[in-house]
Amino acid sequence: MNIESEKEQFLKDFGSDYGYPNAPIHIDEIRATQFKRLKDTVYLDHAGATLYSESQMEAIFKDLNSTVYGNPHSQSSCSLASEDIVARARQQVLNFFNASPREYSCIFTSGATAALKLVGETFPWSSNSSFMYSMENHNSVLGIREYALSKGAAAFAVDIEEGTHLGESESPKSNLKITQHHVQRRSEGGVLKEGMTGRAYNLFAFPSECNFSGRKFDPYLVDIIKEGSERILKSSQNCRGCWLVLIDAAKGCATDPPDLSKFKADFVVFSFYKLFGYPTGLGALIVRNDAAKLMKKTYFSGGTVAAAIADVDFFKRREGVEEFFEDGTISFLSIAAIQHGFKIINMLTTSSISRHTASLAAYVRNKLLALKHENGEFVCTLHGILSSEIGPTVSFNMKRPDGTWYGYREVEKLATLAGIQLRTGCFCNPGACAKYLGLSHLDILSNVEAGHVCWDDRDILHGKPTGAVRVSFGYMSTFEDAMKFVNFVENDFVISSSWCALQPSSISPSIEGIGKAAARHFVTSITIYPIKSCAGFSVDQWPLTSTGLLYDREWILKSTTGEILTQKKVPEMCYISTLIDLNLGKLFVESPRCKEKLQIELNSNSLVTGRDNMDIQNHRYEVQSYNNEVDIWFSNAIDRPCTLLRNSGSQSYSCMNKKGSPGVCRDVGARLNFVNEAQFLLISEESIADLNSRLKSNLDGRKGNGGQAVQVGAMRFRPNLVASCGEPYAEDAWSHLNIGGKIFMSLGGCNRCQMININPEAGEVQRLSEPLATLAGYRRAKGKILFGILLRYENNTKTESDAWLRVGEEIVPNGDGQ
C-alpha cells in the first residue's frame, strides 16, 4: 500500500473533516510538537485513556511552580487561591456540557465510577422504585443495580434500537424502540400501591456512546423516559412514578458531550483523563439541582458540615450542593490542572475533534470490511456498524479462511510487537459483549465454569470469541496511525498465496554448518528453576519425579492481592538467583538487592508458618507459607510486598463443564508444580541457531535493540532441556521420545509470549520486540507463536530414585531403536 497515494485518496474523501483545517494548528503540527514521545508507537486506545499533550503538562508545572495553593477549607490567601481555581473549574465543566449553573452543579469525584457510585448510594430507592438501564452499559453503571435491589427496588435491562414509528409524535424520539428484559427483584413487597406513585423515584441509565462498539445513543432518550415511560413500557407496572435519567458520558464526552441545555438529564458522569489525558483519578458528577435535593446522603465529613457537636447527636450540613457531596478535601491540585487541558479542546472544538476522529474510524471500517482471504471469505466482522451514528471506535473480530476465529489475544500480541497499542476483551461491558458476539446466558456461564475471567487469555471458548478487538481514535490521532493499523491487519491476518503459515513438515531449511544427515540427538543442558520466574541453575544430572525435575517450579511468589508473580509484570525477578544443594538439602537464594543470602532447608518445617489450598488453572495445590523474615527478604528483592509459597501436593480436577465440553486447561493428565502448561520444556541448539540467523538479517531486530542486532541464548526461553537435534525444529515432529531409557510424551509446541523479549543482560531490564517479532513471522500457527516443545514424563521406572536425567544422554525420538 503506497502511503502517498493512499493518503491522497483519503483526503479526497475526508479532507474537509480531517486535520482541523479551520483551527490555528494542524494535526501534523500537533503530533510533531505535542506528542514527540509517541515516535514509532501507534496509540489506538483513546477509549481507554487519551494522551496528555506536552504543552498541557508544561503549563501545569509552570502554574504549580508559580502559585501557592492551600487547602480550600480555610480562609488564608493560599486557600482562597485554591477556592477560586476550583470555582472556575466547576464553571468550565458546566460550560463544556452547556449546563446553566442555575440548573446544574458540578461535584468533583475520583472518576466516573465514583460519580456513578455516589448516585447509586444516595438515590431515593424504595420498594416501589425501578432501575432501568440499557444493555450496552459499562459495569460501573450495572453496579448501581446492587443499591437498587438491596433496597427492594426492581431492576431491569432494556434493548434500545432504532425502530419504526412508535406513536403520536413526529419528532426524532419516535424512531426508537425500547424492549424490556425480565424484572429482577430480591425482596417481596415491591408491588406498586395505589396512591404511592408520587413517592416512587425511578432511575434510567444509558451511555452517550457505547464503549464496546462506539454506537451513539440518541439523547432524546432523556425526554422519552421523562415524558412517556408509560407509553414505552406499556406492559410494565415498573414504569410509574417519577423518572430521573443518568447519562454515562465517560466514552462519548471527548467528541460529543451531552448538551444539557437541550436534554435535561438529571445526572451526567465522566472522567477528565478520557478528555485530555491528565489528570487521572479525577472526574465529575453533573447533577440537576432539583435532583440533588432528592439524594439521601448519610455520611458527613470535613467540609460537608457547617457545624457539629462531638458528644451529642447534632450536626448541620452546608447548603451548597457541591459541599454537601464532596467528602473531605477535594483533589484541588488536580482540579487546578484541568484548565490547561480544556485549552486545546476549546481551541480545536469538540465538533472538529468529532469530525477528525470520525474520518479516521470510517477509513479503518471501510478498509477492514473490504478485506478478504484468497478463498474469498471475509476477514473481519465489525460490531455496531448498523447504527445510524457511531463514534471514533472500531470494534471487530477476525476469521481465518476456514471460518474459525482468530483469538483477540493473538491480535493483541502481534499488535504490540508491531508497535500498535490497542485494546481487547469485553471492555467491562458484558451486555454489549454478549449482544455483538452472540453469547447466550448459558454460553457465558459455561465460559465462567471453564475458568474464564476478565483479562485472561481464554479468547476462544466453545468455538466462539469471548471478547473483541477495539481500536479508538483521539484528537491527536493521524491518518498514518490508521494506515499502519490497516497494513498490520492485512499483513498478519489476511491469508493469500504469499502468506506463510507454520508447516511442521517443511519448517525451515538447514542453516549453514548443520548437516541433515545427523541422525543422533543428545541432551546438552539441564536447568532447574526452583522458584517460578526466578533464575534457574544448570546441572550435569538431576533426579526425576512424578512432577518432573525434582524441585522444579516448586515455589512461587504471590502478591498481597493474590496474584501469582512472574517476570511479565515483575521483570526484576530474573535477577533472583537460585541453587539447590542436594547433599546439604538446602535451597540458596540470592538477590543484588539483599545483602544476605537466603537459605531454606528442603526437609525442615522450621520456617513454615501455615498451610492452605489454592486453585490455579484447573489444578488444586496444597501450599505451605513461610515466616515473616522470608517474605520480607523476597519483598525487598522485588521491591514490592509478596509471600513465598511451596507446593506440598497437587491434583488436577476436571475441565469439563456442565455441557460436557472441555474447558481450557493445562496438562491435567500429570501432576504439576507451578508450571504454566507442562512438566518440561525442551528446545534445540539448532533451532536457536536458526532463530539467531534470522535475527541477524532482520532489520526490525536491529531497530528493536537500539540499532544492534539481537542475539539470544537458550536461557532466554527458560528451557529445562536443551538438545542437539541435527537440524532446526526437528523436535516439532516428535510425538514421544526416549532419553536414556526414560519415556517422555510430547504435548506439542510451547506458545511463546512477550516474556522472552525481556533482556536482563545489560544490568537493567530491557523490554524489546525481539525475538518474539521474528518468531511471529514464521512460527505462528492457530493463534500461537511456537518455539520448543512441551513434555510429560511417563515415569516407567520401578521407583523414583532410579530415574535421573544426565547431560550427554541420547535422545531417541518417536520410539526409533526401542
Side-chain angles (χ1 to χ4, degrees):
M1 188 183 295
N2 181 278
I3 188 168
E4 289 80 10
S5 60
E6 188 71 14
K7 188 169 186 178
E8 182 180 354
Q9 182 59 52
F10 170 79
L11 292 175
K12 283 182 181 179
D13 297 335
F14 301 103
S16 60
D17 295 327
Y18 174 77
Y20 314 108
N22 299 318
I25 185 170
H26 190 265
I27 181 61
D28 294 334
E29 187 179 353
I30 292 174
R31 278 295 286 266
T33 60
Q34 300 299 312
F35 297 92
K36 295 190 288 289
R37 66 188 183 277
L38 284 176
K39 297 179 182 178
D40 296 325
T41 297
V42 176
Y43 184 84
L44 297 177
D45 188 25
H46 296 275
T50 199
L51 304 174
Y52 55 81
S53 68
E54 292 181 22
S55 62
Q56 177 188 351
M57 300 307 295
E58 289 167 1
I60 291 168
F61 291 139
K62 183 178 179 180
D63 184 8
L64 296 180
N65 284 331
S66 60
T67 308
V68 180
Y69 292 113
N71 191 316
H73 293 165
S74 183
Q75 293 297 311
S76 69
S77 59
C78 298
S79 298
L80 292 176
S82 296
E83 187 177 329
D84 180 60
I85 199 69
V86 169
R88 281 189 278 145
R90 294 193 203 277
Q91 188 59 53
Q92 278 186 301
V93 171
L94 293 178
N95 291 343
F96 185 70
F97 291 95
N98 207 9
S100 167
R102 289 190 294 272
E103 289 185 272
Y104 288 91
S105 297
C106 170
I107 300 168
F108 287 115
T109 64
S110 64
T113 295
L116 290 164
K117 182 174 182 287
L118 180 60
V119 173
E121 64 189 5
T122 61
F123 193 83
W125 303 110
S126 71
S127 59
N128 295 318
S129 297
S130 293
F131 175 47
M132 178 169 66
Y133 52 94
S134 68
M135 280 292 289
E136 296 176 56
N137 261 313
H138 192 278
N139 268 332
S140 297
V141 175
L142 298 189
I144 294 177
R145 183 176 63 191
E146 295 301 300
Y147 290 108
L149 294 176
S150 67
K151 295 291 186 179
F156 54 92
V158 292
D159 284 314
I160 302 169
E161 304 296 343
E162 297 165 2
T164 57
H165 189 76
L166 291 176
E168 306 147 4
S169 174
E170 297 293 334
S171 73
K173 308 174 194 176
S174 61
N175 195 39
L176 293 174
K177 180 182 179 182
I178 299 179
T179 305
Q180 180 181 330
H181 288 239
H182 72 279
V183 176
Q184 308 156 63
R185 195 184 287 277
R186 285 187 184 159
S187 62
E188 299 298 328
V191 179
L192 197 62
K193 299 177 182 177
E194 292 296 328
M196 295 287 287
T197 57
R199 301 185 202 174
Y201 292 100
N202 310 306
L203 180 63
F204 171 59
F206 72 98
S208 61
E209 182 182 318
C210 173
N211 75 312
F212 185 97
S213 66
R215 174 198 175 184
K216 290 185 178 181
F217 283 79
D218 196 323
Y220 276 105
L221 279 166
V222 176
D223 296 340
I224 289 174
I225 298 303
K226 281 180 169 288
E227 298 171 4
S229 61
E230 293 191 23
R231 178 171 57 85
I232 297 299
L233 302 172
K234 298 175 184 175
S235 62
S236 175
Q237 291 185 333
N238 299 288
C239 64
R240 302 175 187 173
C242 178
W243 280 93
L244 281 70
V245 178
L246 181 155
I247 301 177
D248 176 9
K251 171 62 181 72
C253 66
T255 55
D256 194 8
D259 185 343
L260 295 180
S261 69
K262 295 180 180 179
F263 307 103
K264 305 293 186 178
D266 298 281
F267 311 99
V268 176
V269 304
F270 74 103
S271 295
F272 289 98
Y273 72 93
K274 298 288 182 80
L275 274 175
F276 33 71
Y278 182 90
T280 58
L282 183 68
L285 167 64
I286 315 302
V287 59
R288 197 168 59 86
N289 293 330
D290 287 344
K293 295 174 184 177
L294 302 173
M295 297 168 73
K296 299 179 179 180
K297 189 167 182 287
T298 302
Y299 177 76
F300 72 85
S301 65
T304 64
V305 291
I309 300 177
D311 58 346
V312 175
D313 182 12
F314 170 82
F315 70 93
K316 178 178 175 58
R317 295 191 183 276
R318 291 185 179 272
E319 296 298 327
V321 172
E322 300 93 341
E323 295 170 321
F324 182 71
F325 289 102
E326 290 172 347
D327 290 323
T329 301
I330 56 178
S331 184
F332 57 91
L333 293 182
S334 294
I335 293 171
I338 68 176
Q339 61 178 319
H340 305 293
F342 273 119
K343 285 178 182 176
I344 193 165
I345 301 296
N346 293 334
M347 177 185 68
L348 297 176
T349 73
T350 52
S351 60
S352 294
I353 292 171
S354 180
R355 293 194 302 272
H356 170 78
T357 54
S359 69
L360 296 171
Y363 167 78
V364 170
R365 286 190 202 100
N366 293 339
K367 289 293 183 181
L368 294 184
L369 285 171
L371 292 178
K372 291 183 179 181
H373 295 296
E374 191 174 47
N375 65 355
E377 294 294 323
F378 284 100
V379 177
C380 298
T381 298
L382 273 62
H383 307 304
I385 58 173
L386 298 180
S387 304
S388 59
E389 289 194 58
I390 190 165
T393 293
V394 184
S395 177
F396 65 99
N397 290 88
M398 293 188 288
K399 283 186 175 182
R400 300 183 180 88
D402 62 3
T404 60
W405 295 98
Y406 287 109
Y408 58 77
R409 284 297 186 210
E410 178 182 4
V411 181
E412 185 175 34
K413 182 191 295 186
L414 296 175
T416 300
L417 295 175
I420 298 172
Q421 308 300 313
L422 45 74
R423 193 78 170 267
T424 63
C426 272
F427 323 121
C428 298
N429 195 326
C433 191
K435 171 184 174 179
Y436 291 110
L437 299 182
L439 299 174
S440 66
H441 291 170
L442 184 58
D443 289 330
I444 296 170
L445 293 174
S446 295
N447 292 346
V448 172
E449 289 175 3
H452 174 55
V453 295
C454 294
W455 306 339
D456 68 11
D457 292 331
R458 294 170 167 86
D459 50 13
I460 303 290
L461 283 174
H462 316 299
K464 291 183 178 181
T466 59
V469 181
R470 185 186 74 187
V471 297
S472 49
F473 297 93
Y475 76 81
M476 75 296 295
S477 299
T478 64
F479 166 76
E480 287 73 19
D481 292 333
M483 182 177 172
K484 286 177 183 177
F485 171 72
V486 171
N487 286 344
F488 156 72
V489 173
E490 189 167 7
N491 293 335
D492 285 53
F493 297 96
V494 179
I495 309 300
S496 64
S497 56
S498 60
W499 197 92
C500 182
L502 177 60
Q503 300 294 336
S505 59
S506 57
I507 290 166
S508 170
S510 298
I511 63 173
E512 186 176 350
I514 301 177
K516 278 188 175 181
R520 302 183 69 188
H521 318 293
F522 299 92
V523 176
T524 60
S525 173
I526 300 173
T527 305
I528 296 91
Y529 307 90
I531 305 174
K532 183 180 178 69
S533 244
C534 295
F537 63 97
S538 296
V539 295
D540 292 329
Q541 58 180 0
W542 199 256
L544 282 168
T545 72
S546 59
T547 60
L549 290 166
L550 182 64
Y551 301 124
D552 185 58
R553 264 72 62 104
E554 195 161 305
W555 287 263
I556 54 170
L557 295 179
K558 187 178 77 168
S559 73
T560 53
T561 62
E563 179 184 17
I564 306 303
L565 299 179
T566 69
Q567 286 186 34
K568 289 181 183 179
K569 292 191 176 180
V570 191
E572 294 79 10
M573 291 177 70
C574 67
Y575 295 125
I576 298 177
S577 62
T578 58
L579 176 68
I580 288 178
D581 189 317
L582 294 177
N583 293 323
L584 294 177
K586 289 185 177 182
L587 165 65
F588 297 93
V589 192
E590 293 185 83
S591 166
R593 289 179 173 170
C594 300
K595 293 181 180 180
E596 301 294 328
K597 180 188 295 187
L598 182 66
Q599 299 184 34
I600 297 176
E601 294 189 21
L602 301 175
N603 300 314
S604 170
N605 291 330
S606 60
L607 301 179
V608 175
T609 58
R611 299 181 184 276
D612 201 356
N613 294 312
M614 63 187 301
D615 293 342
I616 305 176
Q617 298 185 59
N618 298 87
H619 262 71
R620 177 159 293 142
Y621 294 89
E622 296 176 10
V623 296
Q624 58 188 37
S625 53
Y626 290 85
N627 64 23
N628 196 43
E629 291 183 8
V630 172
D631 291 341
I632 289 174
W633 191 96
F634 281 101
S635 298
N636 291 332
I638 64 172
D639 198 26
R640 67 184 68 195
C642 66
T643 58
L644 180 71
L645 299 176
R646 182 181 184 181
N647 177 26
S648 56
S650 72
Q651 63 181 39
S652 62
Y653 52 90
S654 175
C655 300
M656 304 297 286
N657 57 38
K658 291 180 180 178
K659 295 169 67 176
S661 302
V664 174
C665 57
R666 302 181 294 167
D667 176 20
V668 295
R671 286 185 60 207
L672 300 176
N673 279 331
F674 297 115
V675 294
N676 287 342
E677 295 179 277
Q679 294 175 339
F680 298 86
L681 168 64
L682 178 147
I683 63 173
S684 77
E685 294 177 337
E686 291 77 11
S687 300
I688 291 281
D690 178 69
L691 172 59
N692 280 321
S693 177
R694 294 171 186 267
L695 288 168
K696 189 174 182 181
S697 61
N698 188 334
L699 292 177
D700 290 334
R702 293 188 180 93
K703 288 180 182 178
N705 194 29
Q708 300 294 320
V710 176
Q711 295 286 279
V712 295
M715 291 304 106
R716 181 74 73 89
F717 300 91
R718 297 178 64 82
N720 296 110
L721 307 176
V722 179
S724 173
C725 293
E727 60 180 282
Y729 316 109
E731 64 272 19
D732 288 341
W734 296 352
S735 61
H736 57 278
L737 50 153
N738 182 319
I739 305 178
K742 281 80 66 177
I743 306 300
F744 297 82
M745 181 67 66
S746 172
L747 304 176
C750 179
N751 184 25
R752 311 313 310 213
C753 65
Q754 281 90 345
M755 188 167 155
I756 65 173
N757 290 341
I758 296 174
N759 178 24
E761 298 170 4
E764 60 180 276
V765 172
Q766 294 178 311
R767 292 183 182 270
L768 310 175
S769 62
E770 296 290 5
L772 193 59
T774 293
L775 285 171
Y778 76 107
R779 295 287 304 170
R780 186 170 143 226
K782 285 288 185 180
K784 298 181 178 181
I785 301 172
L786 304 176
F787 192 78
I789 59 172
L790 301 168
L791 301 176
R792 175 205 297 160
Y793 174 45
E794 295 298 284
N795 194 10
N796 60 331
T797 58
K798 294 181 180 179
T799 62
E800 289 192 352
S801 60
D802 294 336
W804 285 65
L805 272 182
R806 295 176 175 83
V807 171
E809 286 186 316
E810 184 172 3
I811 301 171
V812 182
N814 300 332
D816 294 342
Q818 292 186 33

